Structure formats: C-alpha cells, structure tokens
Amino acid sequence: MDALAGLLEGPRARGAFMIRTSFDPPWSVRVEDRAPLTVMLMVRGTAWVLPDTGPPLPLRPGEVAIARGPAPYTCADDPATAPQALILPGGVCHYPDGRALNGSMDLGVRTWGDRPDGEAVLLIGTYLWPGEVSARLLDALPPLLSLGPEVWDCPLTPLLLDEITRDEPGQEVVLDRLLDLLVIATLRAWFARPEAAPPAWYHALADPVVGRVLRLLQDDPAHPWTVAALAAEAGVSRAALARRFTDLVGEPVMTHLTGYRLALAADRLRDTTDTLESIARQVGYGSAFALSSAFKRVYGVSPQEHRARVAQGA
C-alpha cells in the first residue's frame, strides 16, 4: 500500500453536516461542535477563521481550510465582529445568549445565512463523529491549516456547489463521498508543502532502509514480523535497523508496528461487523484475548467498548 494512501484512507463521512453559508457583512459564527474535522471552502468573498489559541487565518476566494477538533473557533467577516450565532454538537444552532435559532437563518436546501446570494459564500463540511476520521490522520494534522488557490486548484468545487442545493434522493451519500474526496485532495496537496509537518515516519519513507521496512509493515501488518526478519529484508543488520529506525521514526520498529496494528484494529471495529477474533488475525494478533489486552492498554477501553462508543457517536 502507498503510505500516503494508507494515511488518507481514514476519512469516511456518514451523514456529514454539510452546508452552504451565505452572509453579508458584518457576520460571525461561533463553532463549538467538538467535531473531529471540519473543511471550509471559500467560494466568494473573504472570511477569517479565528481559533481560541493561535493566530487568525484569513480565507480568500478559492482557499480551503481544515480545522482539527475538538477545539472551538469562530468564522467571521472580520476578527472584530462579535458572534451572531453558535453551532453546537450535532449541528444544533443557537443565538449567543442560548436562544434557539429555530430555523430563522435557513435559506433552503442546506443553505444558511442572511440571504441566498450574499457577499460571502462558504462551503462547510463537518465530520460529526470521531469514528469517521482515523486517529492516525488526526494526529498528523495541525489544529488549523489552509491552502490558497495558487498552490491548490480543486475540481470538486463546482460539483459541491451543484450538489449541495439539490433536494434529490441519494444527496447525502453523494455529499459524504465528495467531502471525503475534498479532504483527501486537500491533505495530499498540504503534505507536499514545505511548511507541512507530517509524522516522522512519513519523512522516513524516503530512506532506502527504513522506507522499505515501513512499506513491508504497511503492506502486511499481520505477518509475524521480527526485527531480524525485517533487517534481512532491508539488507542490514538487526542493530543497524534498530538504530536507524528509531533515529528516523522516533520509536523502535516493533513499537511502531504495535501502534499501527492497533490503529487498524480500531478502524475495523468502526467500519465492520467482523468478530474480534477475525480482526485479531487480520492485524497480526494470535487471539482475541491478546488483541483485547493490547488494545485496552493503549486506548484505555476494551475493543467492545470502543465499538459501542463509535456506534453511539461518542
């Protein structure tokens, strides 16, 4: 498996909160929905994304921003504009004083704001539950990132604009998949930027020895790998591999493999109805008991509890 594909295969929206916002200045919306990942695509006009910590981020036409939750932030026409609406978990909308908006800003199918043809038009897509985005992907992202049109030109924008206001069967599924593609296209472009800070193992893929070992682990995590076997595949000694891998990746090779196997198990618990015994075999554990013990040690809950929490949107 290509390593970037392995990292980006995580986004799988299910009934994502996706809307077209349309405002005339002054406008400001406070977001406290605790969503794991939100994408903002500036279609017309300008805006600011204002995290509670960190510098404000301007958005120009054609620019895309990704905010990693659960930290709150504000979107506004100007950093000085006070919030006029508050978005809470599940897409619930209130006035800042706590009163329900009661649909007063609804403008039609998935359209929200002052008027349908406002000066500022922003497409927003939100993954509502942590289970929709893999922890490996979230851990690789800064709290807030953006790409301008000079380095990122996405052909998905016209498709999203056309689909988001359609009231037709299957619209939710189409938008979910378009959101996934938008995230993948954005992150693929961002990881190629010099200012990006992907995980250490991502950079280590360029190393002729460690890169080969990482690909072996990613292609076949269920194989009963040992340091000796991996060193033989890479054409180096055990000691050389152990030292080089730790230096470049930041952790020993078998520690990295354990983390990768457990991340895969967490994704399979989320995405499939496979038994724990089956998942254990798929990711390289000899039994459900062995997987359960390792999983609880790292994640703090049993695999069954993890699956139940994801099913409940927790």
Side-chain angles (χ1 to χ4, degrees):
M1 177 188 295
D2 172 74
L4 183 58
L7 181 65
L8 298 181
E9 69 176 354
R12 296 186 185 93
R14 298 185 185 90
F17 179 66
M18 196 159 190
I19 58 172
R20 173 185 180 270
T21 64
S22 181
F23 289 103
D24 288 326
W27 62 272
S28 178
V29 178
R30 173 75 173 170
V31 182
E32 297 181 359
D33 60 4
R34 300 190 62 81
L37 201 71
T38 297
V39 186
M40 292 160 276
L41 180 59
M42 200 77 217
V43 177
R44 184 169 68 239
T46 59
W48 289 84
V49 183
L50 309 162
D52 283 9
T53 58
L57 179 72
L59 284 181
R60 301 161 293 161
E63 196 156 16
V64 64
I66 291 183
R68 189 190 71 188
Y73 56 92
T74 300
C75 286
D77 71 304
D78 186 274
T81 303
Q84 300 154 349
L86 176 65
I87 299 179
L88 298 171
V92 175
C93 301
H94 284 179
Y95 288 106
D97 62 8
R99 292 178 295 127
L101 278 168
N102 293 325
S104 61
M105 299 181 75
D106 291 348
L107 299 174
V109 178
R110 293 182 183 264
T111 303
W112 191 73
D114 296 328
R115 63 185 180 92
D117 195 29
E119 290 185 24
V121 174
L122 183 66
L123 298 183
I124 300 175
T126 298
Y127 292 84
L128 297 176
W129 315 118
E132 295 176 316
V133 186
S134 72
R136 293 181 77 237
L137 174 57
L138 293 176
D139 290 344
L141 300 180
L144 187 63
L145 65 91
S146 69
L147 288 172
E150 68 278 1
V151 297
W152 183 84
D153 181 20
C154 184
L156 296 171
T157 303
L159 294 174
L160 283 164
L161 284 170
D162 180 60
E163 185 66 33
I164 201 165
T165 56
R166 288 188 177 186
D167 188 13
E168 297 182 5
Q171 185 210 38
E172 185 173 283
V173 175
V174 172
L175 289 176
D176 283 350
R177 298 291 73 78
L178 286 174
L179 176 59
D180 292 342
L181 291 172
L182 178 62
V183 170
I184 290 171
T186 303
L187 295 182
R188 184 168 60 183
W190 182 76
F191 279 127
R193 301 292 297 162
E195 66 269 24
W201 61 260
Y202 184 82
H203 288 300
L205 287 164
D207 183 81
V209 172
V210 176
R212 173 159 174 72
V213 170
L214 284 168
R215 289 182 179 89
L216 287 169
L217 300 181
Q218 291 162 354
D219 288 343
D220 192 3
H223 186 83
W225 292 113
T226 64
V227 177
L230 290 166
E233 290 282 352
V236 296
S237 69
R238 290 176 56 186
L241 173 61
R243 181 174 59 252
R244 193 161 177 168
F245 194 98
T246 301
D247 287 346
L248 293 180
V249 179
E251 61 185 357
V253 59
M254 300 312 290
T255 301
H256 179 83
L257 176 58
T258 296
Y260 183 56
R261 284 171 167 170
L262 293 177
L264 291 176
D267 286 347
R268 282 167 169 74
L269 287 164
R270 175 196 70 192
D271 296 329
T272 74
T273 58
D274 293 351
T275 66
L276 190 58
E277 191 72 37
S278 174
I279 293 173
R281 291 195 301 271
Q282 293 169 33
V283 302
Y285 282 86
S287 68
F289 177 78
L291 172 59
S292 184
S293 297
F295 195 94
K296 190 167 186 178
R297 185 169 60 251
V298 172
Y299 286 89
V301 296
S302 70
Q304 293 87 345
E305 290 172 319
H306 173 79
R307 176 173 267 171
R309 289 184 177 187
V310 170
Q312 295 166 4

